[in-house]
Amino acid sequence: MEWIHIADFLKDIEPLHQEFYDQPTLELAKALLGCLLIKETKEGIAAGYIVETEAYIGPGDRAAHSYQNRRTKRTEIMFHRSGLAYTYVMHTHCLFNVVSGGEEKPEAVLVRALEPAFGIELMKIRRGIEELTKLTNGPGKLTKSMGISMEDYSRALTSPPLYIAKGICTESISAGKRIGINNSGEARDYLWRFWVTNNKYVSKQQKT
DNA sequence: TGATAGATTGTCT
DNA sequence: GACAATCTATCAG
């Protein structure tokens, strides 16, 4: 049944090209809102519209893993070309980022929330819950729903099984302080978090 | 509905 | 051995 819908769904889907990822990180963070994030696995396809992102600009951003160009096994991928996937394990969860900035510029955009678009049944099974709004409204939740893991580390986002495609137009974008970073000095107050205004799938906090 | 504490695993000092 | 770009359960109101 659903495979018919899959063909129909993918008919007009084209992965975004390299040029898309070459724009400045803050621009990319906003441009990603409304885009479709798609993951193909043996179990099926899951997709969601990106509704919340955060920018991390390495060298001068104390909240970023790559602050002051700190280059380790974990942050290595941030020094590579833009358009790659940077997955990172936090406690028991996995977080998904898009590398940006280009070679030797350790910048990235964290995807914080999605609006479920396709493969919703699969997402519900993977999360073990029914409520749509709780399926992907958080960085750790969306990776579980989509089936994204450390196996996707360093994967290019320009082709299957994991890629991003042009989605819908977003009417309004809001900006605010990033979440979950504490003693980061000045960086704590940067308005580097972006979300689709009034979208109910955005992770908690904030209204306007 | 809102705030708080605990879980739990990889990475770095 | 300490800490982290989080989630969830639980308790208070």
Side-chain angles (χ1 to χ4, degrees), chain A residues 84-97:
Chain A
L84 301 179
Y86 169 35
T87 49
Y88 154 67
V89 177
M90 165 67 169
H91 285 59
T92 55
H93 306 280
C94 188
L95 279 64
F96 171 72
N97 305 250

Side-chain angles (χ1 to χ4, degrees), chain A residues 2-166:
Chain A
E2 200 174 46
W3 61 268
I4 295 176
H5 293 118
I6 289 175
D8 200 40
F9 183 78
L10 293 177
K11 190 175 54 179
D12 299 317
I13 302 294
E14 274 285 319
L16 287 164
H17 298 290
Q18 183 64 42
E19 302 86 68
F20 176 79
Y21 300 102
D22 288 334
Q23 57 187 313
T25 299
L26 289 176
E27 295 300 312
L28 181 64
K30 284 182 276 193
L32 280 171
L33 294 176
C35 287
L36 259 184
L37 175 62
I38 302 156
K39 176 73 194 280
E40 300 179 5
T41 67
K42 286 172 290 195
E43 305 158 289
I45 294 177
Y49 294 104
I50 296 172
V51 296
E52 185 179 356
T53 60
E54 271 180 17
Y56 287 88
I57 302 182
D61 182 0
R62 286 189 59 180
H65 294 151
S66 53
Y67 176 53
Q68 286 186 333
N69 288 317
R70 232 152 65 93
R71 189 166 185 158
T72 66
K73 181 181 170 188
R74 185 177 65 173
T75 62
E76 175 66 27
I77 199 63
M78 293 176 82
F79 290 83
H80 289 230
R81 74 163 200 271
S82 55
L84 301 179
Y86 169 35
T87 49
Y88 154 67
V89 177
M90 165 67 169
H91 285 59
T92 55
H93 306 280
C94 188
L95 279 64
F96 171 72
N97 305 250
V98 177
V99 174
S100 63
E103 299 276 347
E104 302 307 314
K105 287 184 183 169
E107 306 178 3
V109 176
L110 167 68
V111 176
R112 287 190 60 85
L114 301 176
E115 175 174 336
F118 193 81
I120 294 177
E121 286 310 310
L122 179 58
M123 295 166 88
K124 284 180 180 174
I125 292 171
R126 291 208 262 233
R127 292 271 293 118
I129 59 169
E130 280 296 313
E131 300 95 315
L132 263 189
T133 54
K134 293 182 183 173
L135 227 40
T136 53
N137 65 332
K141 299 180 189 175
L142 74 88
T143 54
K144 188 169 184 184
S145 293
M146 299 287 290
I148 294 173
S149 68
M150 286 310 287
E151 290 178 11
D152 296 303
Y153 183 87
S154 82
R155 193 161 258 165
L157 296 171
T158 45
S159 62
L162 177 65
Y163 58 101
I164 295 174
K166 186 170 186 221

